[in-house]
Each structure stands twice: as C-alpha cells, then as structure tokens.
C-alpha cells in the first residue's frame, strides 16, 4: 500500500531547538516515518521574512539539519532537505500569490501579530506572503497530511483554499491537504513562567531548555523551576501549572503516563520530582548532543544527506510545478 505523504518544515532561526519544539513537534516527525511518506524541510526561505545575518543563517540551517538527524529523522525513510535547495518552492509560490486575494492575505492573524511587534510599516512583504509560500511547500509534494498545531490552522486553511481554487479554475492539479492532528503532542511551558509557552523568542533565560546547551545547565533550570507553595504532586494545569509542566515533560521523555507518575510520587516532594526530571532530561540530551556533534564534524556527509534529500524533493516538486505552469499557460 502506498503511504500518505506528509509535509512539515521548521525554521532555522535559533542555534538550538528547544524542548518545546521537540516534544510539541519534532518527536512526531520521527514517529510519522512509521506510517507516512514524509518530506521534511528546513525552511530558510521563510526565515528571511525577518532580517537574518547570512553567516548565522547558514550555520543555523546546518545545525537544524544535524539536530533533525540526531533526533531520528531517517534519510532512508524521509526526504530531508533545505527549502532554498529546491527552487520550485519560490516558483510555485509566485503563481499562488497571484491567486491569493489581498484581503484574504490581510486576514492572517500571525502576520498581524508578528508585524505589530516590529511596526507594520517595517514588516517585509515576504512576511505578509509567508502563508502563501507555506501553501507552495505543501502543495508541491501533493501532501495529504500536514501536522498542525492550533497556531497553524489558519495557514493550512489558506493552503486548502488555494488548492481548491487552482483546481477549480485550471483543472485538478493539487491534492487538497488535510490537517493531521497528532496524538501525544505535549505543550511545554516556560519553567520560570509556566503560564507562558516555552519559546525561543519569548521565554525567560532560565525558563527555556535548549537541546544543545550544557546538560548541566538544563538540569539546573529544571531543579529551579517555578512550582507553587503546595506539596502535592498532582496534574492540575490550571492551579499547578509548574508541577503539571514537569509531569508533562517527565511523561513525554519516559513514555510513562502522567497518572502513573502521580501515583509513583504520592508522598514525595517537589524536590524529588525536579531531581528526577532533571535526570531523565540529561539522559536524553547527552547522547543527542554527541550525535549532533558527529554530523557537524563531518560536513561532507551532512552535505551529501541534504543533497540527496533535495534530489528526492525535486523529483516530486518539479513534476508538480511543470503541471501547474502548463495549466496556467506558461
Ligand atoms: P518558537 O515558538 O520557539 O518560536 P516555532 O514557532 O519555531 O518555535 O515552533 C516550531 C515548532 O515547535 C512548531 O510546530 C510549534 O508548534 C512547536 N512548538 C514551539 N514551542 C512549543 C512549546 N512550548 N510546546 C509545544 N510545541 C511547541
Ligand atoms: Na513562534
């Protein structure tokens, strides 16, 4: 049986992925390899919608790819590539931009949020058309499924609308993608401010766990995580956000259910829980970091993996683009 195609991307906009990226998204990328045919890309075209230093961007793109491989993205089962290596993304994006209404694009709430942070006049046109490029990413691979969190629903809806609009106007060309609601995704919160999600841009210094930082530093952050003045280790995100966040992390990293953990910690204190979470985290990141390092120490091998991924991607993307160009009258 042929497997359903899945497409997902991540921006190379930090030196390291953080624990939220892993437990909320990247872990599912690895799992989807068992059931789907994945196309995974490091979306450097998306990254330049806000200003990037070229040297830093290039380095982060490689580090992102190395981290994905170290987390278990398997080039034998997934096409892993860098978006700018496949020119069809930008080419299809232009066609789709010409099918997108200005008003329609103006309703994208993520643009409004991001643009208002930098002043709408200074925001780039690329940031404005970002969701259209995202549609091109998906439609090029005829992806059936796109793993989405709440924050990406509106963009996926635009991708679906553009696929349908193109198909109606020019004849069937694109698969209309469905959201793939992933089970077992965990939303991870800032360790110091458990009301806010862990985020590379918004987290407090000690509330963010970067997968590539010194594991001792991560352990210390966990041991000094904000909890509450109570004593009971129970899962209650509303009243015990800090403790619940630690239970979520522990459960996600070990596969033990939260209920199991609550039972196991009956009568124990917050200090015991923090110590144990710190320990499982260190056990996870230590071998991860040495795998990342081995990819970074062998740039030729990393280049080879990414070149092969781009080749696999282009084999599909070039066919889709040719069909779309032909339909449009090019
Ligand atoms: P950030 O919020 O740090 O800027 P991104 O927006 O680049 O991270 O997110 C990349 C992926 O990681 C997305 O799929 C996003 O939903 C997921 N993600 C980011 N932060 C978290 C979090 N705290 N908990 C769960 N998933 C997260
Ligand atoms: Na974000």
């Amino acid at each position: 049986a042929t497997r359903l195609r899945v497409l997902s991307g991540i921006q190379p906009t930090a030196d390291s992925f953080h624990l939220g990226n892993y437990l909320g998204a990247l872990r599912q990328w690895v799992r989807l390899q068992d059931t789907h045919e994945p196309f995974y890309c490091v979306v450097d075209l998306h990254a330049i919608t806000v200003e990037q230093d070229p040297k830093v961007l290039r380095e982060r793109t490689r580090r992102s790819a190395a981290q994905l491989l170290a987390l278990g993205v398997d080039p034998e089962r997934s096409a892993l590539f860098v978006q700018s290596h496949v020119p069809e993304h930008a080419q299809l994006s232009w066609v789709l931009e010409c099918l997108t209404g200005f008003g329609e694009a103006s309703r994208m709430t993520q643009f409004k949020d991001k643009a208002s942070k930098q002043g709408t006049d200074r925001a780039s046109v690329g940031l404005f058309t970002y969701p259209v490029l995202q549609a091109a990413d998906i439609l090029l691979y005829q992806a059936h499924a796109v793993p989405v969190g709440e924050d990406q629903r509106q963009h996926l809806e635009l991708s679906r609308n553009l696929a349908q609009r193109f198909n109606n106007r020019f004849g069937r060309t694109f698969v209309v993608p469905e959201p793939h609601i992933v089970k077992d995704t965990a939303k991870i919160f800032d360790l110091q401010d458990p009301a806010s999600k862990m985020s590379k841009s918004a987290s407090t210094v000690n509330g963010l766990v970067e997968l590539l930082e010194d594991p001792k530093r991560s352990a210390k952050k966990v041991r000094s995580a904000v909890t509450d003045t109570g004593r009971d280790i129970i899962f209650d995100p509303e009243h015990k956000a800090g403790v619940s966040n630690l239970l979520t992390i522990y459960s996600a990293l070990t596969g033990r259910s939260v209920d199991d953990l609550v039972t196991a910690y009956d009568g124990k204190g917050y200090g015991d829980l923090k110590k144990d979470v710190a320990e499982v985290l260190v056990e996870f990141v230590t071998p991860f970091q040495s795998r990342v390092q081995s990819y970074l120490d062998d740039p030729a091998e990393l280049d080879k993996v990414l070149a092969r991924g781009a080749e696999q991607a282009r084999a599909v993307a070039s066919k889709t683009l040719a069909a779309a160009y032909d339909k449009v009258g090019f």
Side-chain angles (χ1 to χ4, degrees):
T2 57
R3 292 177 168 207
L4 295 184
R5 283 217 183 118
V6 65
L7 179 289
S8 200
I10 190 149
Q11 290 199 53
T13 46
D15 292 334
S16 169
F17 293 137
H18 61 72
L19 195 58
N21 296 143
Y22 174 55
L23 297 178
L26 302 176
R27 198 165 58 127
Q28 283 64 40
W29 285 26
V30 175
R31 291 189 178 162
L32 280 165
Q33 298 179 122
D34 297 333
T35 50
H36 287 66
E37 181 193 354
F39 287 78
Y40 291 141
C41 57
V42 178
V43 293
D44 54 350
L45 297 179
H46 284 280
I48 66 162
T49 56
V50 298
E51 198 175 326
Q52 303 291 336
D53 177 277
K55 235 176 104 186
V56 174
L57 177 63
R58 185 171 289 118
E59 175 65 20
R60 286 176 169 176
T61 298
R62 299 182 67 81
R63 284 167 78 92
S64 297
Q67 289 175 85
L68 292 170
L69 291 164
L71 288 172
V73 171
D74 171 7
E76 299 299 325
R77 294 188 292 162
S78 297
L80 173 65
F81 62 100
V82 176
Q83 190 184 27
S84 65
H85 296 178
V86 181
E88 286 82 357
H89 289 252
Q91 292 174 292
L92 182 62
S93 184
W94 177 255
V95 174
L96 297 177
E97 277 181 39
C98 296
L99 285 182
T100 307
F102 184 78
E104 185 178 33
S106 305
R107 285 191 289 277
M108 297 293 128
T109 56
Q110 198 179 79
F111 172 75
K112 290 187 211 170
D113 289 349
K114 287 190 179 173
S116 70
K117 276 181 202 147
Q118 40 184 290
T120 308
D121 277 353
R122 294 182 46 214
S124 71
V125 174
L127 188 66
F128 184 68
T129 58
Y130 183 114
V132 184
L133 177 59
Q134 219 173 358
D137 298 341
I138 297 164
L139 302 186
L140 271 178
Y141 299 98
Q142 307 289 11
H144 304 88
V146 181
V148 280
E150 238 355 277
D151 55 335
Q152 289 301 322
R153 274 184 175 282
Q154 198 186 27
H155 290 178
L156 182 64
E157 203 46 42
L158 178 70
S159 299
R160 290 171 51 81
N161 289 338
L162 288 173
Q164 279 160 347
R165 193 171 303 157
F166 191 103
N167 290 346
N168 288 338
R169 190 169 308 171
F170 300 108
R172 213 181 141 60
T173 309
F174 296 119
V175 169
V176 180
E178 299 285 339
H180 179 81
I181 308 298
V182 267
K183 283 182 233 117
D184 293 333
T185 51
K187 187 164 179 189
I188 307 302
F189 296 90
D190 186 319
L191 294 176
Q192 290 298 315
D193 173 19
S196 321
K197 78 163 206 164
M198 187 178 285
S199 150
K200 63 178 171 258
S201 46
S203 277
T204 60
V205 176
N206 290 321
L208 177 72
V209 174
E210 291 184 304
L211 301 184
L212 290 178
E213 72 189 0
D214 182 352
K216 288 198 202 87
R217 190 175 150 87
S218 299
K220 202 169 158 202
K221 288 176 181 176
V222 170
R223 286 195 307 265
S224 54
V226 164
T227 44
D228 55 75
T229 54
R231 303 180 51 89
D232 295 335
I233 296 176
I234 52 170
F235 189 74
D236 179 356
E238 197 182 328
H239 301 104
K240 284 176 168 284
V243 172
S244 301
N245 191 34
L246 292 172
L247 285 168
T248 301
I249 294 168
Y250 197 163
S251 167
L253 287 175
T254 59
R256 289 175 71 181
S257 74
V258 168
D259 284 349
D260 242 31
L261 293 172
V262 168
T263 308
Y265 281 89
D266 185 31
K268 295 189 181 173
Y270 292 167
D272 301 308
L273 175 65
K274 290 179 187 178
K275 193 172 134 281
D276 294 348
V277 174
E279 213 164 277
V280 297
L281 181 60
V282 169
E283 276 165 29
F284 169 72
V285 293
T286 304
F288 162 77
Q289 291 186 0
S290 63
R291 288 194 297 272
V292 171
Q293 200 51 53
S294 69
Y295 286 110
L296 294 177
D297 287 345
D298 190 351
E301 176 61 23
L302 188 56
D303 285 343
K304 216 167 80 187
V305 169
L306 293 175
R308 229 188 78 214
E311 207 177 291
Q312 289 174 303
R314 287 201 80 179
V316 177
S318 63
K319 279 202 190 105
T320 309
L321 183 74
Y325 267 22
D326 182 56
K327 295 265 173 63
V328 166
F330 291 167

